[in-house]
Amino acid sequence: MTETIESAAQDDRWPPREARRRSPFSVHRAWIVAAVTFVTIIGGAAFNSLPGLLIEPLHSEFGWSRGEIGLAVSIDMALYGLTAPFAAALMDRFGIRRVVAVALTMVAAGAIASVWMTASWQLMIYWGLLVGLGTGSMAMAFAATVTNRWFVARRGLVTGILTAAGASGQLVFLPLCAWIVDRHGWQPASITVALAALVVVPFVWLLMRDHPADVGLAPYGGTYVAKPAPARGAARRTVRVLFDAARTGPFWLLAGTFAICGASTNGLIRTHFVPFAHDNHMPITVAASLLAVIGVFDVIGTIFSGWLTDRFDARRLLAVYYALRGISLLFLPLLIGPEVQPPMIFFIVFYGLDWVATVPPTLALCREQYGEDSAIVFGWVLASHQVGAAVVAFLGGVARDVFGSYDVVWYASGALCAMAALMSLVIRRVRQPEAGLGR
Protein backbone atom coordinates (compact mmCIF):
# COMPACT_ATOMS: atom_id res chain seq x y z
CA MET A 1 0.00 0.00 0.00
CA THR A 2 2.83 2.39 0.89
CA GLU A 3 4.54 1.72 -2.42
CA THR A 4 1.30 2.43 -4.26
CA ILE A 5 0.90 5.82 -2.58
CA GLU A 6 4.55 6.76 -3.14
CA SER A 7 4.37 5.87 -6.82
CA ALA A 8 1.12 7.76 -7.18
CA ALA A 9 2.74 10.84 -5.68
CA GLN A 10 4.84 11.11 -8.82
CA ASP A 11 1.74 11.16 -11.00
CA ASP A 12 0.56 14.65 -11.88
CA ARG A 13 -3.05 13.45 -11.56
CA TRP A 14 -2.61 12.44 -7.94
CA PRO A 15 -1.98 14.92 -5.15
CA PRO A 16 -2.07 12.50 -2.17
CA ARG A 17 -1.34 14.88 0.69
CA GLU A 18 -3.16 17.84 -0.76
CA ALA A 19 -6.29 15.72 -1.01
CA ARG A 20 -6.34 15.20 2.74
CA ARG A 21 -8.24 17.62 4.96
CA ARG A 22 -5.66 19.98 6.45
CA SER A 23 -5.90 21.24 9.98
CA PRO A 24 -6.40 25.02 10.09
CA PHE A 25 -3.35 25.15 12.37
CA SER A 26 -1.04 23.06 10.16
CA VAL A 27 1.92 24.71 8.45
CA HIS A 28 2.40 24.13 4.75
CA ARG A 29 5.83 22.75 3.89
CA ALA A 30 6.38 25.75 1.60
CA TRP A 31 6.75 28.03 4.63
CA ILE A 32 9.40 25.73 6.11
CA VAL A 33 11.31 25.84 2.81
CA ALA A 34 10.97 29.64 2.79
CA ALA A 35 12.29 29.82 6.36
CA VAL A 36 15.32 27.68 5.43
CA THR A 37 15.90 29.91 2.41
CA PHE A 38 15.75 33.00 4.62
CA VAL A 39 18.31 31.57 7.04
CA THR A 40 20.52 30.44 4.15
CA ILE A 41 20.59 33.91 2.60
CA ILE A 42 21.47 35.36 6.01
CA GLY A 43 24.33 32.85 6.32
CA GLY A 44 25.59 33.73 2.87
CA ALA A 45 25.25 37.46 3.63
CA ALA A 46 27.68 37.08 6.51
CA PHE A 47 30.63 37.24 4.13
CA ASN A 48 29.32 40.38 2.44
CA SER A 49 29.63 42.11 5.82
CA LEU A 50 33.34 41.34 6.11
CA PRO A 51 35.47 42.86 3.29
CA GLY A 52 35.00 46.50 4.27
CA LEU A 53 35.98 45.67 7.85
CA LEU A 54 39.23 43.96 6.86
CA ILE A 55 40.82 46.47 4.49
CA GLU A 56 42.65 48.32 7.27
CA PRO A 57 43.69 45.19 9.28
CA LEU A 58 45.06 43.44 6.17
CA HIS A 59 46.84 46.61 5.06
CA SER A 60 48.44 46.95 8.51
CA GLU A 61 49.41 43.28 8.91
CA PHE A 62 50.67 42.39 5.43
CA GLY A 63 51.46 45.79 3.93
CA TRP A 64 49.22 45.09 0.94
CA SER A 65 47.97 48.19 -0.81
CA ARG A 66 44.29 49.02 -0.64
CA GLY A 67 44.23 48.54 -4.40
CA GLU A 68 45.37 44.91 -4.04
CA ILE A 69 42.78 44.23 -1.37
CA GLY A 70 40.14 46.03 -3.43
CA LEU A 71 41.02 43.85 -6.42
CA ALA A 72 40.20 40.70 -4.43
CA VAL A 73 36.86 42.22 -3.40
CA SER A 74 36.19 43.25 -7.00
CA ILE A 75 36.82 39.69 -8.24
CA ASP A 76 34.32 38.44 -5.67
CA MET A 77 31.69 40.98 -6.76
CA ALA A 78 32.24 40.38 -10.48
CA LEU A 79 31.95 36.60 -10.13
CA TYR A 80 28.89 37.05 -7.94
CA GLY A 81 27.24 38.99 -10.75
CA LEU A 82 28.40 36.79 -13.62
CA THR A 83 27.38 33.58 -11.83
CA ALA A 84 23.91 34.87 -10.97
CA PRO A 85 22.35 34.52 -14.48
CA PHE A 86 23.36 30.85 -14.56
CA ALA A 87 22.34 30.05 -10.97
CA ALA A 88 18.74 29.28 -11.90
CA ALA A 89 19.93 27.01 -14.72
CA LEU A 90 22.20 25.15 -12.28
CA MET A 91 19.27 24.68 -9.89
CA ASP A 92 17.05 23.40 -12.70
CA ARG A 93 19.72 20.92 -13.72
CA PHE A 94 21.10 19.71 -10.38
CA GLY A 95 18.47 20.77 -7.84
CA ILE A 96 18.26 23.61 -5.32
CA ARG A 97 19.51 21.58 -2.39
CA ARG A 98 22.74 20.40 -4.04
CA VAL A 99 23.63 23.76 -5.56
CA VAL A 100 23.06 25.70 -2.33
CA ALA A 101 24.88 23.16 -0.14
CA VAL A 102 27.93 23.28 -2.43
CA ALA A 103 27.76 27.09 -2.58
CA LEU A 104 27.74 27.43 1.22
CA THR A 105 30.67 25.00 1.47
CA MET A 106 32.65 27.07 -1.04
CA VAL A 107 32.02 30.26 0.95
CA ALA A 108 33.14 28.53 4.16
CA ALA A 109 36.24 27.07 2.47
CA GLY A 110 37.29 30.47 1.13
CA ALA A 111 36.79 32.16 4.50
CA ILE A 112 38.68 29.49 6.47
CA ALA A 113 41.55 29.26 3.96
CA SER A 114 42.11 33.01 4.19
CA VAL A 115 43.23 32.58 7.82
CA TRP A 116 46.50 30.98 6.60
CA MET A 117 47.16 33.23 3.59
CA THR A 118 50.49 35.03 3.30
CA ALA A 119 50.27 36.59 -0.19
CA SER A 120 47.74 38.84 -1.90
CA TRP A 121 47.19 36.34 -4.75
CA GLN A 122 45.84 33.90 -2.16
CA LEU A 123 43.37 36.54 -1.04
CA MET A 124 42.16 36.82 -4.64
CA ILE A 125 41.64 33.06 -4.88
CA TYR A 126 40.01 32.57 -1.48
CA TRP A 127 37.92 35.74 -1.31
CA GLY A 128 37.60 36.40 -5.01
CA LEU A 129 37.18 33.02 -6.69
CA LEU A 130 35.74 30.66 -4.06
CA VAL A 131 33.51 33.12 -2.24
CA GLY A 132 32.46 34.89 -5.46
CA LEU A 133 31.25 31.66 -7.08
CA GLY A 134 29.61 30.53 -3.83
CA THR A 135 27.68 33.71 -3.11
CA GLY A 136 26.79 34.11 -6.80
CA SER A 137 25.06 30.73 -6.71
CA MET A 138 22.88 32.03 -3.87
CA ALA A 139 22.01 35.34 -5.51
CA MET A 140 18.50 36.57 -6.27
CA ALA A 141 17.91 33.53 -8.50
CA PHE A 142 17.82 31.34 -5.37
CA ALA A 143 14.99 33.30 -3.78
CA ALA A 144 13.17 33.59 -7.12
CA THR A 145 13.42 29.85 -7.81
CA VAL A 146 12.12 28.90 -4.35
CA THR A 147 9.25 31.40 -4.62
CA ASN A 148 8.21 30.30 -8.10
CA ARG A 149 8.27 26.59 -7.28
CA TRP A 150 6.75 26.56 -3.80
CA PHE A 151 4.26 29.44 -3.89
CA VAL A 152 1.35 30.48 -6.07
CA ALA A 153 -0.34 32.65 -3.46
CA ARG A 154 1.68 35.17 -1.43
CA ARG A 155 4.50 35.33 -3.94
CA GLY A 156 4.93 39.08 -3.47
CA LEU A 157 5.11 38.72 0.31
CA VAL A 158 7.61 35.86 0.14
CA THR A 159 9.76 37.69 -2.40
CA GLY A 160 9.87 40.74 -0.14
CA ILE A 161 10.78 38.65 2.92
CA LEU A 162 13.56 36.77 1.13
CA THR A 163 14.92 39.97 -0.39
CA ALA A 164 15.06 41.43 3.12
CA ALA A 165 17.16 38.47 4.29
CA GLY A 166 20.32 40.01 2.84
CA ALA A 167 19.76 43.24 4.76
CA SER A 168 18.93 41.22 7.87
CA GLY A 169 22.23 39.38 7.56
CA GLN A 170 24.02 42.71 7.30
CA LEU A 171 22.20 43.93 10.42
CA VAL A 172 23.27 40.82 12.37
CA PHE A 173 26.83 40.29 11.18
CA LEU A 174 28.21 43.79 10.62
CA PRO A 175 28.23 44.85 14.30
CA LEU A 176 29.30 41.35 15.39
CA CYS A 177 32.20 41.10 12.96
CA ALA A 178 33.26 44.68 13.69
CA TRP A 179 33.40 43.88 17.42
CA ILE A 180 35.42 40.71 16.75
CA VAL A 181 37.88 42.53 14.48
CA ASP A 182 38.28 45.33 17.01
CA ARG A 183 38.80 43.02 20.01
CA HIS A 184 40.34 39.85 18.60
CA GLY A 185 41.64 40.54 15.10
CA TRP A 186 40.50 39.70 11.59
CA GLN A 187 41.16 35.93 11.67
CA PRO A 188 38.43 35.11 14.24
CA ALA A 189 35.99 37.23 12.23
CA SER A 190 36.79 35.23 9.10
CA ILE A 191 36.29 31.97 11.00
CA THR A 192 32.96 33.28 12.31
CA VAL A 193 31.77 33.88 8.76
CA ALA A 194 32.85 30.37 7.73
CA LEU A 195 31.00 28.81 10.65
CA ALA A 196 27.86 30.81 9.82
CA ALA A 197 27.88 29.29 6.33
CA LEU A 198 28.65 25.75 7.54
CA VAL A 199 25.96 25.76 10.23
CA VAL A 200 23.30 26.34 7.59
CA VAL A 201 24.36 23.38 5.40
CA PRO A 202 22.64 20.64 7.50
CA PHE A 203 19.39 22.63 7.54
CA VAL A 204 19.53 22.97 3.76
CA TRP A 205 20.24 19.27 3.26
CA LEU A 206 17.63 18.01 5.73
CA LEU A 207 14.77 20.48 5.29
CA MET A 208 15.11 21.93 1.78
CA ARG A 209 13.36 20.15 -1.08
CA ASP A 210 13.72 20.98 -4.75
CA HIS A 211 10.03 20.79 -5.62
CA PRO A 212 6.67 20.36 -3.81
CA ALA A 213 6.15 17.10 -5.72
CA ASP A 214 9.16 15.65 -3.86
CA VAL A 215 6.94 15.46 -0.77
CA GLY A 216 3.66 14.89 -2.61
CA LEU A 217 2.35 18.43 -2.12
CA ALA A 218 0.92 21.17 -4.27
CA PRO A 219 2.63 24.57 -4.08
CA TYR A 220 1.11 26.91 -1.51
CA GLY A 221 -2.13 28.31 -2.91
CA GLY A 222 -1.94 26.19 -6.08
CA THR A 223 -2.72 22.75 -7.47
CA TYR A 224 -0.48 19.73 -7.61
CA VAL A 225 2.07 19.72 -10.44
CA ALA A 226 4.42 16.85 -11.24
CA LYS A 227 8.11 17.57 -10.84
CA PRO A 228 9.62 18.36 -14.26
CA ALA A 229 12.62 16.49 -15.58
CA PRO A 230 16.03 18.14 -15.07
CA ALA A 231 16.19 21.03 -17.51
CA ARG A 232 18.77 20.90 -20.27
CA GLY A 233 19.76 23.81 -22.42
CA ALA A 234 18.81 26.47 -19.85
CA ALA A 235 22.34 27.86 -19.84
CA ARG A 236 22.28 28.05 -23.65
CA ARG A 237 19.03 30.02 -23.49
CA THR A 238 20.57 32.36 -20.91
CA VAL A 239 23.39 33.22 -23.31
CA ARG A 240 21.03 33.50 -26.30
CA VAL A 241 18.80 35.99 -24.44
CA LEU A 242 21.88 38.06 -23.63
CA PHE A 243 22.86 38.31 -27.30
CA ASP A 244 19.28 39.16 -28.31
CA ALA A 245 18.94 41.84 -25.63
CA ALA A 246 22.35 43.31 -26.45
CA ARG A 247 20.99 44.29 -29.87
CA THR A 248 18.53 46.70 -28.23
CA GLY A 249 19.24 50.16 -26.84
CA PRO A 250 17.18 49.87 -23.63
CA PHE A 251 19.32 46.94 -22.47
CA TRP A 252 22.47 49.04 -22.48
CA LEU A 253 20.72 51.90 -20.72
CA LEU A 254 19.36 49.56 -18.04
CA ALA A 255 22.70 47.78 -17.69
CA GLY A 256 24.56 51.09 -17.55
CA THR A 257 22.33 52.63 -14.89
CA PHE A 258 22.41 49.46 -12.80
CA ALA A 259 26.20 49.29 -13.10
CA ILE A 260 26.30 52.79 -11.60
CA CYS A 261 23.87 51.60 -8.93
CA GLY A 262 26.30 48.81 -7.97
CA ALA A 263 29.25 51.18 -8.11
CA SER A 264 27.60 53.63 -5.71
CA THR A 265 26.36 50.97 -3.24
CA ASN A 266 28.22 47.66 -2.96
CA GLY A 267 31.41 48.87 -4.59
CA LEU A 268 31.58 52.17 -2.73
CA ILE A 269 29.67 52.23 0.56
CA ARG A 270 29.78 48.54 1.48
CA THR A 271 33.48 48.20 0.64
CA HIS A 272 34.99 51.59 1.49
CA PHE A 273 32.72 53.31 4.00
CA VAL A 274 34.33 51.70 7.07
CA PRO A 275 37.95 52.48 6.06
CA PHE A 276 36.81 55.98 5.03
CA ALA A 277 35.25 56.48 8.47
CA HIS A 278 38.44 55.08 10.05
CA ASP A 279 40.46 57.71 8.15
CA ASN A 280 38.28 60.32 9.87
CA HIS A 281 38.91 58.79 13.32
CA MET A 282 35.52 57.13 13.71
CA PRO A 283 35.72 53.80 15.63
CA ILE A 284 35.26 50.76 13.39
CA THR A 285 32.40 49.44 15.52
CA VAL A 286 30.49 52.72 15.13
CA ALA A 287 31.02 52.78 11.36
CA ALA A 288 29.85 49.16 11.06
CA SER A 289 26.75 49.95 13.12
CA LEU A 290 25.92 52.80 10.74
CA LEU A 291 26.13 50.36 7.83
CA ALA A 292 23.79 48.02 9.69
CA VAL A 293 21.29 50.87 10.10
CA ILE A 294 21.47 51.40 6.34
CA GLY A 295 20.36 47.76 6.02
CA VAL A 296 17.28 48.45 8.16
CA PHE A 297 16.11 51.40 6.05
CA ASP A 298 17.06 49.47 2.91
CA VAL A 299 14.13 47.10 3.59
CA ILE A 300 11.70 49.98 4.15
CA GLY A 301 12.86 51.85 1.06
CA THR A 302 12.64 48.81 -1.20
CA ILE A 303 9.07 47.98 -0.16
CA PHE A 304 8.00 51.62 -0.57
CA SER A 305 9.71 51.80 -3.96
CA GLY A 306 7.74 48.75 -5.09
CA TRP A 307 4.53 50.51 -4.07
CA LEU A 308 5.56 53.62 -6.02
CA THR A 309 6.54 51.56 -9.08
CA ASP A 310 2.96 50.28 -9.35
CA ARG A 311 1.71 53.88 -9.54
CA PHE A 312 4.32 56.02 -11.32
CA ASP A 313 6.58 55.97 -14.37
CA ALA A 314 9.52 53.69 -13.52
CA ARG A 315 11.92 55.80 -15.61
CA ARG A 316 11.16 58.95 -13.64
CA LEU A 317 11.45 57.09 -10.35
CA LEU A 318 14.92 55.89 -11.33
CA ALA A 319 15.95 59.40 -12.34
CA VAL A 320 14.84 60.75 -8.95
CA TYR A 321 16.54 57.93 -7.03
CA TYR A 322 19.88 58.36 -8.80
CA ALA A 323 19.81 62.16 -8.59
CA LEU A 324 19.12 62.13 -4.85
CA ARG A 325 21.77 59.47 -4.27
CA GLY A 326 24.34 61.50 -6.17
CA ILE A 327 23.60 64.62 -4.14
CA SER A 328 23.92 62.70 -0.86
CA LEU A 329 27.31 61.26 -1.87
CA LEU A 330 28.64 64.72 -2.72
CA PHE A 331 27.85 65.88 0.82
CA LEU A 332 29.23 62.83 2.64
CA PRO A 333 32.86 64.09 2.98
CA LEU A 334 31.47 67.16 4.77
CA LEU A 335 29.41 65.08 7.21
CA ILE A 336 31.87 62.43 8.37
CA GLY A 337 33.79 62.89 11.61
CA PRO A 338 34.97 61.13 14.78
CA GLU A 339 31.48 61.32 16.29
CA VAL A 340 28.05 60.72 14.79
CA GLN A 341 26.22 64.03 14.44
CA PRO A 342 22.55 64.56 13.38
CA PRO A 343 23.47 65.38 9.74
CA MET A 344 25.30 62.04 9.51
CA ILE A 345 22.27 60.22 10.88
CA PHE A 346 20.14 61.94 8.25
CA PHE A 347 22.53 60.74 5.53
CA ILE A 348 22.39 57.14 6.81
CA VAL A 349 18.58 57.10 6.88
CA PHE A 350 18.25 58.85 3.51
CA TYR A 351 20.87 56.71 1.81
CA GLY A 352 19.42 53.53 3.32
CA LEU A 353 15.99 54.31 1.88
CA ASP A 354 17.62 54.74 -1.56
CA TRP A 355 20.04 51.76 -1.37
CA VAL A 356 18.03 49.14 -3.30
CA ALA A 357 15.04 51.32 -4.18
CA THR A 358 16.27 51.10 -7.80
CA VAL A 359 15.47 47.37 -8.03
CA PRO A 360 11.63 47.47 -8.42
CA PRO A 361 11.58 50.09 -11.22
CA THR A 362 14.53 48.45 -13.00
CA LEU A 363 12.78 45.08 -12.87
CA ALA A 364 9.54 46.71 -14.06
CA LEU A 365 11.35 48.24 -17.06
CA CYS A 366 12.91 44.86 -17.91
CA ARG A 367 9.44 43.33 -17.81
CA GLU A 368 8.03 46.12 -19.97
CA GLN A 369 10.81 45.88 -22.54
CA TYR A 370 11.40 42.13 -22.76
CA GLY A 371 8.23 40.36 -21.61
CA GLU A 372 8.69 36.62 -21.11
CA ASP A 373 12.49 36.95 -21.28
CA SER A 374 12.55 39.68 -18.64
CA ALA A 375 13.73 37.47 -15.77
CA ILE A 376 16.83 36.38 -17.68
CA VAL A 377 17.48 39.90 -18.95
CA PHE A 378 17.27 41.17 -15.38
CA GLY A 379 19.82 38.52 -14.40
CA TRP A 380 22.27 40.02 -16.88
CA VAL A 381 21.40 43.56 -15.77
CA LEU A 382 22.13 42.39 -12.22
CA ALA A 383 25.48 41.10 -13.48
CA SER A 384 26.27 44.61 -14.73
CA HIS A 385 25.39 45.88 -11.24
CA GLN A 386 28.06 43.64 -9.73
CA VAL A 387 30.62 44.47 -12.42
CA GLY A 388 30.12 48.16 -11.65
CA ALA A 389 30.54 47.37 -7.96
CA ALA A 390 33.70 45.39 -8.71
CA VAL A 391 35.28 48.23 -10.68
CA VAL A 392 34.71 50.79 -7.90
CA ALA A 393 35.77 48.36 -5.17
CA PHE A 394 39.14 48.17 -6.93
CA LEU A 395 39.48 51.77 -8.13
CA GLY A 396 38.33 53.13 -4.78
CA GLY A 397 41.26 51.41 -3.09
CA VAL A 398 43.64 52.62 -5.77
CA ALA A 399 42.37 56.21 -5.37
CA ARG A 400 42.94 56.02 -1.62
CA ASP A 401 46.52 54.82 -2.22
CA VAL A 402 47.24 57.54 -4.78
CA PHE A 403 45.48 60.58 -3.28
CA GLY A 404 45.69 59.69 0.40
CA SER A 405 41.93 60.14 0.90
CA TYR A 406 38.60 58.93 -0.46
CA ASP A 407 37.18 62.37 -1.28
CA VAL A 408 37.69 62.08 -5.04
CA VAL A 409 35.81 58.76 -4.99
CA TRP A 410 32.69 60.32 -3.46
CA TYR A 411 32.71 63.22 -5.93
CA ALA A 412 33.18 60.89 -8.92
CA SER A 413 30.36 58.64 -7.71
CA GLY A 414 28.06 61.64 -7.35
CA ALA A 415 28.78 62.59 -10.96
CA LEU A 416 28.10 59.01 -12.12
CA CYS A 417 24.72 59.05 -10.35
CA ALA A 418 23.82 62.26 -12.21
CA MET A 419 24.67 60.47 -15.46
CA ALA A 420 22.47 57.50 -14.45
CA ALA A 421 19.56 59.88 -13.79
CA LEU A 422 19.81 61.24 -17.33
CA MET A 423 20.17 57.76 -18.84
CA SER A 424 16.99 56.63 -17.05
CA LEU A 425 14.92 59.36 -18.68
CA VAL A 426 15.86 58.39 -22.25
CA ILE A 427 14.72 54.75 -21.98
CA ARG A 428 11.91 54.40 -24.49
CA ARG A 429 8.39 53.31 -23.56
CA VAL A 430 6.86 50.08 -24.86
CA ARG A 431 3.16 49.65 -25.53
CA GLN A 432 3.06 45.83 -25.59
CA PRO A 433 4.96 44.49 -22.54
CA GLU A 434 4.00 40.86 -23.28
CA ALA A 435 6.28 40.62 -26.29
CA GLY A 436 9.40 38.54 -25.62
CA LEU A 437 12.74 38.87 -27.30
CA GLY A 438 12.13 35.91 -29.50
CA ARG A 439 8.96 37.39 -31.02
Side-chain angles (χ1 to χ4, degrees):
M1 180 66 179
T2 302
E3 294 179 356
T4 303
I5 294 177
E6 290 179 350
S7 62
Q10 306 302 318
D11 191 334
D12 60 359
R13 297 169 298 176
W14 181 265
R17 297 189 185 182
E18 193 66 22
R20 301 175 188 172
R21 183 179 298 275
R22 299 182 62 86
S23 166
F25 301 103
S26 62
V27 177
H28 194 284
R29 182 64 176 266
W31 293 108
I32 298 175
V33 172
V36 174
T37 304
F38 185 88
V39 173
T40 302
I41 294 173
I42 288 179
F47 182 85
N48 293 329
S49 305
L50 201 57
L53 302 176
L54 300 192
I55 290 179
E56 289 300 325
L58 292 176
H59 173 69
S60 299
E61 180 169 338
F62 297 105
W64 300 337
S65 70
R66 293 172 180 83
E68 288 179 292
I69 301 170
L71 179 59
V73 178
S74 72
I75 293 172
D76 162 56
M77 291 182 174
L79 285 177
Y80 176 99
L82 295 173
T83 303
F86 297 95
L90 289 172
M91 292 177 186
D92 287 341
R93 180 67 181 86
F94 299 105
I96 298 174
R97 186 167 58 161
R98 291 179 182 176
V99 171
V100 173
V102 171
L104 287 167
T105 303
M106 292 177 69
V107 171
I112 290 177
S114 67
V115 173
W116 293 283
M117 64 186 175
T118 57
S120 59
W121 65 265
Q122 294 170 325
L123 178 69
M124 295 172 193
I125 291 177
Y126 302 150
W127 279 19
L129 182 62
L130 289 177
V131 176
L133 291 174
T135 54
S137 298
M138 295 183 295
M140 294 179 68
F142 175 34
T145 301
V146 169
T147 303
N148 291 341
R149 291 187 184 182
W150 281 90
F151 291 87
V152 173
R154 308 294 185 186
R155 277 182 175 174
L157 173 63
V158 175
T159 300
I161 292 172
L162 296 183
T163 301
S168 301
Q170 177 175 306
L171 177 63
V172 171
F173 284 101
L174 259 173
L176 174 62
C177 289
W179 180 84
I180 294 174
V181 170
D182 187 52
R183 296 295 182 89
H184 304 287
W186 67 270
Q187 292 93 339
S190 189
I191 293 174
T192 300
V193 168
L195 293 177
L198 287 177
V199 165
V200 180
V201 173
F203 291 94
V204 171
W205 197 255
L206 295 175
L207 299 177
M208 178 68 70
R209 292 295 181 270
D210 295 330
H211 195 278
D214 289 340
V215 289
L217 286 174
Y220 182 82
T223 56
Y224 181 84
V225 178
K227 183 178 180 179
R232 299 179 183 276
R236 190 180 306 112
R237 183 192 175 206
T238 301
V239 175
R240 177 184 59 78
V241 169
L242 170 63
F243 281 104
D244 289 342
R247 298 190 184 102
T248 66
F251 173 79
W252 293 106
L253 291 170
L254 289 168
T257 55
F258 222 41
I260 293 174
C261 178
S264 57
T265 53
N266 291 355
L268 182 62
I269 294 292
R270 179 169 287 172
T271 304
H272 294 292
F273 178 79
V274 172
F276 168 65
H278 181 268
D279 285 349
N280 288 271
H281 311 293
M282 180 181 288
I284 185 174
T285 51
V286 176
S289 297
L290 291 177
L291 275 184
V293 174
I294 285 178
V296 175
F297 287 94
D298 168 18
V299 177
I300 299 172
T302 304
I303 294 173
F304 185 56
S305 177
W307 183 85
L308 291 174
T309 302
D310 290 335
R311 292 161 174 79
F312 299 98
D313 186 342
R315 302 172 306 157
R316 294 182 179 179
L317 287 177
L318 282 180
V320 171
Y321 295 159
Y322 285 121
L324 293 177
R325 182 184 299 177
I327 293 171
S328 68
L329 290 174
L330 291 176
F331 279 97
L332 181 57
L334 304 176
L335 305 178
I336 197 73
E339 298 179 355
V340 179
Q341 301 294 334
M344 188 64 196
I345 296 175
F346 177 80
F347 169 83
I348 292 298
V349 172
F350 181 85
Y351 188 87
L353 292 172
D354 199 349
W355 180 283
V356 195
T358 55
V359 171
T362 299
L363 184 55
L365 288 171
C366 285
R367 191 180 302 116
E368 176 185 302
Q369 296 285 336
Y370 302 108
E372 63 187 15
D373 293 321
S374 61
I376 298 176
V377 173
F378 181 72
W380 286 112
V381 171
L382 177 63
S384 73
H385 180 280
Q386 292 304 114
V387 171
V391 171
V392 171
F394 170 60
L395 292 182
V398 172
R400 172 61 177 80
D401 292 330
V402 172
F403 298 106
S405 76
Y406 281 105
D407 288 357
V408 66
V409 181
W410 306 116
Y411 300 143
S413 297
L416 284 175
C417 288
M419 184 186 302
L422 294 175
M423 292 168 64
S424 301
L425 291 176
V426 299
I427 299 174
R428 63 179 173 82
R429 300 294 302 270
V430 173
R431 293 182 177 274
Q432 297 179 346
E434 274 71 27
L437 288 172
R439 297 182 181 182

